[in-house]
Amino acid sequence: MKTKRSIEDDFSRRMVLAAGAGGVVWAGLVARLFQLQVLEREKYQAAAEDNHIKLALAPPQRGRILDRFGKPLASHRRAGRVSIVPEQTHDPAGTLAQIAALIDLPDERIEKITREITASRRRNAGFVPVIVANELTYEDFARMNVHAAEIPGIQVEMALTRSYPRGRDLAHVLGYVARASQDDLTRLSSGMVEDEAKRLEKLFRHPDMRTGRQGMERFAEEWLRGKPGFRKLVTNAHGRVIEEIPDEKFAPVPGKDLYVTIDSELQRAAIERFGDESGAAVVLDIETGDVLAMVSTPAFDPNDFVNGISGTAYAELRDNPRSPLYPRAHGGVYPPGSTFKMVVATAALESGAVKPTDRVHCNGYYHFGNRTWHCWKKGGHGSMDMHNGIKHSCDVYFYETARRTGVEQIAATARKFGFGEAWTLGMTGARGGLVPDPEWKQRVMGEPWYEGETLNFGIGQGQLGVTPLQLALMTARIANEGHSFKPKLVGLGPKSEDDGILDAPLDAEIMQRMKAGMFGVTSEGGGTAYRSGDLGLGGPRLAGKTGTAQVRRITKAERDKGVRKGVNIERELRDHALFVAYAPADDPKYAISVVVEHGEGGSSTAAPLARDILHFALKNDSRRKAVYGKTASITPAGTGEPT
């Protein structure tokens, strides 16, 4: 039997053990609390924040495209938008039905969105919003905002969208942006390692991200794109965004602004002057090589492509007989007609085959072999030397001149003027046309060259094909008397490595003779464009050359009965009207080429149009100092430095 003393000793021992154990537990708790609240506070605070703060990918704002005087050609505007985050809705069909009850949402659109949501989940990209509707009206935007809290997984917001304030004016120069297709992603990620390619794909899956599809937008993609960042978003338990926390370290870097050499006001004036005609015009600064206007009309509106164009709307553009998708100025290939005669005359003088004073008698036709070639003037021009041959545009004179000179010499001289080369200048769709010669014909057609083809070559017909841009380059080289010439369309931005310089030697004295002939066309009695020589500026005149390019062969029976023209013939069978010129004639500043499709007469249709465009350019001094030449005036955010 234990004594009272032993019982008290046992109790005291147990109390000490219990107190010790309790102390150890409390010490452990205090140490753990110290570790969690002091030593590892930042770690667990960040983890806690992750439960209600999310980093959402933030695409960069695309750089603007501006004209030579800083006027926006491609910029941004804000527009209402509603989108679905797939991972935040378990019933996409039900969500779409709720949205369709509030705004107009066609069945075709619902089907497309459903496919996009399915594809997004398949790619494990359910966190990326899928756009349901863009360009919401004020009423629709307000209505969606009111009901947004009732519909899980949707976002209603004002978003920046690419905007082309000049609409159709520069469609073929600027191109357009659109959502990246798989082909776009493959092209853009070419040469990247796998991780970089995945990051790029993730960026371009974002609903705000666009890529350049054509024109300068595609050429300057990396310059304009910028670098992505993140938005720091506070969300509630349901994942809905409550607010955004500004954080500069996560901010995206905007793309750089791109300046082009175009004068947008001159461009607009030229388009208005074309009216309902189809065609192209190119205006160059003879001194700097700047492209001041690049008109292709009719055209499309690039704004229609930014958020996706419907199949029906695209089909209307594609099937339009006036071909608004066709970049005529740098991609349209036409027979140059008589505008090519200065090239033939230059080749003749360079080779020594013809002297300026050599005369050819024109009685309205030219016999060669068993065929007869006709002059445009039925009764003929009489005796012609080179100056008068250009001035009167005598076909018979140039048949004989081409025959004496030979096709190889003419082709070689044509290439000195820039024909046969595709001048991209940062645009898509450029074509080089064709400067034919015997080697080309044998290689492509398996046939020898016939001398009769040289006669057609001599008046800018046959297989010869040129672009309006090339005609303007030819005119600039004549006007500057053979000095080197480098055309450019980018004023401030990335430079095109594909574009060359026209520096093949051309004799200054020969170019002076070509200029004298062109001056005779517009300023001497009998010149084919005499009425278009006066620029209406109280003195300065232009010098130019008319051209009429046949698009069909005229039969002997039709010649005997009288060639049908004007309203008496279907539009697509009428001749193209061409005119090239420079101004002022005594101090050249501008070179221009004009092509009016099926306009019939170079002197009656194309020459007055070119005169009016040059009048505007001179009156408004389109070649005056551009803003990107004055670095102090370049202040917009996102503007880059010259390269």
Side-chain angles (χ1 to χ4, degrees), residues 1-14:
M1 181 175 181
K2 290 186 177 181
T3 64
K4 181 178 180 182
R5 177 72 177 178
S6 64
I7 292 172
E8 289 177 350
D9 289 344
D10 286 344
F11 179 76
S12 296
R13 198 164 39 250
R14 289 171 182 169

Side-chain angles (χ1 to χ4, degrees), residues 128-243:
V128 178
V130 173
I131 295 175
V132 175
N134 275 303
E135 307 288 338
L136 295 179
T137 65
Y138 176 80
E139 292 78 9
D140 286 346
F141 182 72
R143 192 181 304 114
M144 287 304 307
N145 262 307
V146 169
H147 294 277
E150 306 166 6
I151 308 175
I154 73 163
Q155 295 178 351
V156 183
E157 58 191 340
M158 294 297 292
L160 284 179
T161 187
R162 195 65 160 173
S163 173
Y164 300 95
R166 298 276 171 168
R168 292 174 171 80
D169 283 8
L170 288 135
H172 297 105
V173 173
L174 303 179
Y176 60 89
V177 297
R179 295 290 300 276
S181 65
Q182 189 56 51
D183 288 343
D184 292 324
L185 293 173
T186 301
R187 171 175 54 84
L188 292 167
S189 61
S190 176
M192 290 184 175
V193 298
E194 185 178 356
D195 287 346
E196 289 178 334
K198 286 182 177 179
R199 284 196 295 271
L200 185 75
E201 180 174 0
K202 183 177 180 181
L203 172 64
F204 276 105
R205 294 298 181 195
H206 193 283
D208 282 340
M209 201 63 193
R210 298 289 186 272
T211 185
R213 280 282 179 83
Q214 289 185 6
M216 304 300 290
E217 290 277 24
R218 176 166 173 167
F219 162 73
E221 171 64 34
E222 293 187 11
W223 178 276
L224 294 166
R225 185 192 307 159
K227 296 180 181 179
F230 294 93
R231 297 168 62 202
K232 200 171 184 180
L233 305 176
V234 179
T235 60
N236 62 17
H238 301 288
R240 185 173 296 283
V241 176
I242 299 172
E243 64 175 316

Side-chain angles (χ1 to χ4, degrees), residues 444-577:
V444 174
M445 304 177 71
E447 297 177 357
W449 184 272
Y450 299 106
E451 198 164 8
E453 294 176 274
T454 304
L455 305 190
N456 273 338
F457 199 5
I459 62 166
Q461 294 282 171
Q463 299 285 352
L464 178 64
V466 307
T467 68
L469 175 57
Q470 291 170 346
L471 286 172
L473 294 175
M474 173 200 75
T475 308
R477 285 218 82 186
I478 293 172
N480 74 8
E481 299 184 357
H483 292 295
S484 62
F485 189 82
K486 183 175 178 59
K488 63 177 183 293
L489 187 56
V490 176
L492 173 60
K495 305 305 179 186
S496 174
E497 297 178 358
D498 298 330
D499 296 320
I501 182 171
L502 283 169
D503 57 0
L506 288 170
D507 186 88
E509 185 177 344
I510 294 176
M511 292 302 98
Q512 289 165 9
R513 289 188 179 278
M514 298 305 105
K515 289 173 69 176
M518 293 175 70
F519 184 76
V521 168
T522 60
S523 302
E524 295 177 4
T528 55
Y530 182 75
R531 290 178 295 177
S532 296
D534 186 358
L535 286 163
L537 295 171
R541 298 185 67 84
L542 64 82
K545 181 71 189 76
T546 54
T548 301
Q550 292 180 2
V551 298
R552 65 190 178 103
R553 184 177 177 183
I554 299 172
T555 65
K556 182 178 184 303
E558 190 174 359
R559 286 188 184 279
D560 292 340
K561 293 180 180 178
V563 179
R564 294 180 300 145
K565 293 185 177 181
V567 296
N568 298 318
I569 189 173
E570 296 84 354
R571 179 184 177 276
E572 62 272 15
L573 298 179
R574 300 172 193 168
D575 297 338
H576 296 322

Side-chain angles (χ1 to χ4, degrees), residues 223-393:
W223 178 276
L224 294 166
R225 185 192 307 159
K227 296 180 181 179
F230 294 93
R231 297 168 62 202
K232 200 171 184 180
L233 305 176
V234 179
T235 60
N236 62 17
H238 301 288
R240 185 173 296 283
V241 176
I242 299 172
E243 64 175 316
E244 180 174 347
I245 302 174
D247 195 330
E248 285 299 319
K249 70 179 180 180
F250 291 118
V253 178
K256 292 176 282 191
D257 287 345
L258 171 70
Y259 283 78
V260 294
T261 61
I262 294 286
D263 174 359
S264 57
E265 297 304 323
L266 176 64
Q267 181 89 0
R268 174 96 288 271
I271 291 171
E272 289 178 348
R273 183 59 181 81
F274 264 89
D276 294 331
E277 299 282 5
S278 301
V282 178
V283 182
L284 300 174
D285 182 331
I286 291 171
E287 181 182 337
T288 65
D290 288 356
V291 178
L292 300 174
M294 177 82 75
V295 174
S296 295
T297 185
F300 61 92
D301 188 343
N303 290 296
D304 295 339
F305 287 81
V306 174
N307 293 313
I309 188 170
S310 70
T312 301
Y314 184 78
E316 289 178 358
L317 290 172
R318 182 195 61 211
D319 300 334
N320 188 318
R322 296 292 182 102
S323 303
L325 296 173
Y326 186 37
R328 291 168 166 83
H330 60 291
V333 177
Y334 305 88
S338 295
T339 61
F340 191 70
K341 287 175 177 174
M342 283 84 70
V343 176
V344 178
T346 298
L349 294 176
E350 285 181 334
S351 65
V354 172
K355 295 177 182 160
T357 55
D358 288 351
R359 305 190 77 84
V360 175
H361 185 79
C362 171
N363 55 9
Y365 55 87
Y366 183 88
H367 289 304
F368 184 79
N370 60 357
R371 278 196 57 191
T372 299
W373 279 260
H374 294 270
C375 186
W376 68 268
K377 188 175 182 180
K378 192 171 183 180
H381 291 94
S383 181
M384 293 279 107
D385 60 8
M386 183 170 285
H387 178 83
N388 282 292
I390 295 172
K391 171 180 153 182
H392 294 285
S393 198

